[in-house]
Amino acid sequence: ALCVLYVAMTRAKRAMYLITEPRQETARSNNYPRLLRETLGETWSEGEAQWYEARPRHPGTAGANQGTGPGNEETAPIGLEPLAGASGAPRLEARRPSDGTRGAVDGAGLFSLTAVDGAALGAAVHGLLAEVEWGGEGDAARWAAAWRKQGADQEAVELALKCLRAPGLAEVWLRPDANAEVWREKSFEAVLDGVWVSGVFDRVVIQREGSGAVRRATVYDFKTEARPEAARHAGQMRLYRRAAARLLGVPETAVCTELVFSTTQARVADQAGA
């Protein structure tokens, strides 16, 4: 275990930050926080604290709100340089739709166990809802029995069932017509404005004409947030719309996006693509 700690502390490329719990004066155990404090001190640091200010940004992503990339408001990670591929051509910048999610985050929350638990709960709810192809309130009992038989997390099951039973979310689960199909937890790759975008659609309902041509599509993205905030996901949803339109071969106006907040069973639709 000590070797694992050593490896974790010596693999950073640019900088390494290590945060531990405050010291308990009465503690006597030889744990890693104590080992680190006795070896390095309470507030050890070395090197240039503002190292990132000297790192060049990727050309074309020089600042926020400049219309320089997909979603037109996000910047690339600091220190990202274009790399040459095997052919000598520049390697495409890579990003995920969720990279553009914005919002203030309480510093203490970054290191709290509840934040980890919240992420795990969100992943569990996503996994359960991904099993539902078509359904609704009438199918909730069947899914409840199946999920409990699987030994799924009880809190995640309760949240997923609330989503299936909520009248306001009925349209998310009901098949609109016989020609409709649904993507669930579908991974995708798309090149948008010279940027390689990798992501996963939570749920996409695709409606087709009798000929098979896509008439419209709705991208549903599930969020498990204690305090739902739609605005912070706007850039992510724009990328989802663009990627879905590209993959389905339709104009962006044929694709709608909706946020589905499992904690409140609320839908927030973005009408820009309607």
Side-chain angles (χ1 to χ4, degrees):
L2 184 60
C3 291
V4 172
L5 178 65
Y6 170 80
V7 170
M9 292 180 63
T10 56
R11 292 303 181 267
K13 184 175 181 180
R14 305 296 184 194
M16 187 272 291
Y17 303 85
L18 200 152
I19 296 91
T20 67
E21 292 283 349
R23 179 170 58 180
Q24 300 284 337
E25 296 298 335
T26 59
R28 294 291 181 266
S29 63
N30 290 317
N31 53 34
Y32 293 124
R34 181 176 180 178
L35 171 64
L36 290 167
R37 281 191 296 269
E38 291 180 351
T39 306
L40 302 176
E42 289 284 353
T43 57
W44 174 83
S45 66
E46 184 175 291
E48 177 55 52
Q50 276 70 45
W51 61 271
Y52 50 83
E53 292 180 353
R55 298 297 306 164
R57 288 178 180 269
H58 188 285
T61 57
N65 301 314
Q66 299 297 315
T68 53
N72 295 331
E73 83 285 5
E74 296 85 15
T75 59
I78 293 172
L80 179 66
E81 305 98 350
L83 302 176
S87 64
R91 186 178 297 172
L92 294 176
E93 175 192 338
R95 56 172 300 197
R96 298 168 299 175
S98 58
D99 291 343
T101 301
R102 292 182 161 198
V105 177
D106 176 57
L110 293 174
F111 308 105
S112 70
L113 294 177
T114 56
V116 176
D117 293 342
L121 175 63
V125 172
H126 273 68
L128 295 177
L129 295 179
E131 297 182 27
V132 181
E133 184 176 19
W134 305 110
E137 182 179 3
D139 300 291
R142 175 171 61 86
W143 283 111
W147 290 335
R148 286 168 181 146
K149 185 176 181 180
Q150 295 172 13
D153 178 81
Q154 184 60 36
E155 187 177 0
V157 169
E158 293 303 322
L159 267 181
L161 291 175
K162 286 181 179 179
C163 291
L164 291 181
R165 291 169 175 153
L169 301 185
E171 188 178 347
V172 177
W173 316 111
L174 295 178
R175 190 170 193 171
D177 56 64
N179 295 322
E181 66 174 286
V182 62
W183 292 347
R184 297 168 289 158
E185 289 291 313
K186 186 176 182 66
S187 301
F188 69 87
E189 308 281 344
V191 177
L192 305 173
D193 294 342
V195 176
W196 190 301
V197 180
S198 301
V200 179
F201 293 119
D202 289 345
R203 184 178 182 88
V204 183
V205 175
I206 304 163
Q207 294 174 258
R208 298 182 181 274
E209 305 287 359
S211 63
V214 176
R215 182 170 76 253
R216 62 170 299 187
T218 303
V219 178
Y220 295 105
D221 194 65
F222 302 116
K223 300 295 184 186
T224 306
E225 299 177 352
R227 293 180 295 178
E229 184 183 347
R232 66 191 297 262
H233 304 293
Q236 178 183 12
M237 301 311 287
R238 277 195 293 273
L239 275 178
Y240 279 146
R241 176 186 293 113
R242 296 186 65 193
R246 175 73 62 84
L247 294 170
L248 293 170
V250 298
E252 291 180 30
T253 52
V255 179
C256 299
T257 61
E258 292 197 16
L259 288 164
V260 178
F261 293 102
S262 58
T263 50
T264 58
Q265 294 83 61
R267 293 163 55 192
V268 179
D270 181 352
Q271 297 300 320

